[in-house]
């Protein structure tokens, strides 16, 4: 039986801010994907994945929730038959590796699942998000549920607030000079410690003020500019956002990239922002001239996400 593929995701805007009810915009990233597969010969990565899925199965079996029920017998049987999650999505990189896995498990084993084909009302989206939040908490301690939601629907999602989500139409890509790209920090990032640092910072009144008056303001403006295709305003707001992040979120930026980050702001060749929780993994870049950014960042691995 061929099982569906689930894609990675990129949170273009909204990291950390969505914890505090700013807007967010997440898009599927089709370069990386994962799917459940079965093999008679479990070894290497497949064996490791199968063992991890057993732990996840036990977690799913222990859930007592009105939100969702699972066909646990089938899940267990498939594991015994050599099921594993075959994924090209890098782990700890902020592009939703656990999200794609959660989407796969829901798609295959949830007994009364909401499907992508039905009319996705706000209620259904919120129910899906709450279900995925519960399912993904196994991996991160606390999850918004957005990564699996994005992976499951394979649609851009606009987060207006915690209780207000909608599928978003993003402008189609153009063959322009501008681009959104990923910069590989070549370090693994862990979500939980980064979120803990953020939560500790939130105890500081000055940090909370900066978050609502600067960070959220610029984030919301970036999303509006991006969705409206207003590229000129977008870059001005992304630059402001990049400055705010460099000043206030230093622990989330790997040390080796503080100078690289500042250099983009000084030269205007590119602007960097966090991709997911930070601490490693990918860093998200925006540039009005991708060739120039490639030249400036020639010592690093870049991956193209979107063209303006």
């Amino acid at each position: 039986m061929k099982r569906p593929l689930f894609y990675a995701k990129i949170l273009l805007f909204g990291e950390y801010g969505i914890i505090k009810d700013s807007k967010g915009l997440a898009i599927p990233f089709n370069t990386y994907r994962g799917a459940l597969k079965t093999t008679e010969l479990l070894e290497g990565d497949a064996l490791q994945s199968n063992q991890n899925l057993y732990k996840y199965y036990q977690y799913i079996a222990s859930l007592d929730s009105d939100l969702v029920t699972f066909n646990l017998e089938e899940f267990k049987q498939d594991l015994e038959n050599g099921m594993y999650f075959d994924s090209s999505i890098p782990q700890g990189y902020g592009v939703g590796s656990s999200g794609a896995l959660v989407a796969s498990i829901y798609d295959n084993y949830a007994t009364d699942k909401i499907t992508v084909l039905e009319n996705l009302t706000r209620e259904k989206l919120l129910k899906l998000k709450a279900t995925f939040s519960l399912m993904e908490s196994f991996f991160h301690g606390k999850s918004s549920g957005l990564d699996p939601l994005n992976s499951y629907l394979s649609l851009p999602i606009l987060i207006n607030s915690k209780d207000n989500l909608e599928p978003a139409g993003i402008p189609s890509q153009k063959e322009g000079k501008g681009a959104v790209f990923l910069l590989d920090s070549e370090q693994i990032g862990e979500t939980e410690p980064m979120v803990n640092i953020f939560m500790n910072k939130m105890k500081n009144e000055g940090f909370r003020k900066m978050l609502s008056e600067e960070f959220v303001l610029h984030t919301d403006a970036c999303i509006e500019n991006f969705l409206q295709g207003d590229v000129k305003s977008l870059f001005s707001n992304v630059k402001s956002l990049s400055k705010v992040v460099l000043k206030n979120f230093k622990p989330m930026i790997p040390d080796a990239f503080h100078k690289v980050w500042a250099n983009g702001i000084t030269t205007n060749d590119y602007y960097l922002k966090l991709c997911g929780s930070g601490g490693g993994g990918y860093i998200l870049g925006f540039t009005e001239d991708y060739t120039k950014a490639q030249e400036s960042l020639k010592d690093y691995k870049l991956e193209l996400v979107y063209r303006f």
Side-chain angles (χ1 to χ4, degrees), residues 83-151:
M83 183 173 75
Y84 67 102
F85 190 60
D86 182 33
S87 170
S88 64
I89 306 168
Q91 291 185 6
Y93 262 63
V95 288
S97 54
S98 59
L101 171 60
V102 168
S104 296
I105 297 296
Y106 178 84
D107 185 58
N108 281 280
Y109 303 107
T111 49
D112 189 18
K113 68 180 182 186
I114 295 167
T115 70
V116 182
L117 299 170
E118 57 197 85
N119 178 19
L120 289 168
T121 60
R122 186 178 294 176
E123 284 68 33
K124 283 179 186 170
L125 281 173
L126 286 173
K127 186 179 177 186
L128 270 175
K129 181 174 177 281
T131 302
F132 288 144
S133 168
L134 187 69
M135 290 176 70
E136 201 184 29
S137 294
F138 172 78
F139 300 98
H140 297 313
K142 188 176 190 300
S143 158
S144 68
L146 266 173
D147 285 8
L149 182 67
N150 199 274
S151 193

Side-chain angles (χ1 to χ4, degrees), residues 243-255:
K243 283 180 182 169
V244 169
V245 173
L246 181 60
K247 187 177 169 191
N248 298 285
F249 289 81
K250 273 220 166 76
M252 287 78 166
I253 302 169
D255 292 347

Side-chain angles (χ1 to χ4, degrees), residues 12 14 24 34 111 114 156 162 173 175 191 207 285 304:
L12 272 188
T111 49
I114 295 167
K162 275 195 191 78
Q173 299 198 43
E175 285 303 311
T191 301
F207 186 83
L304 192 61

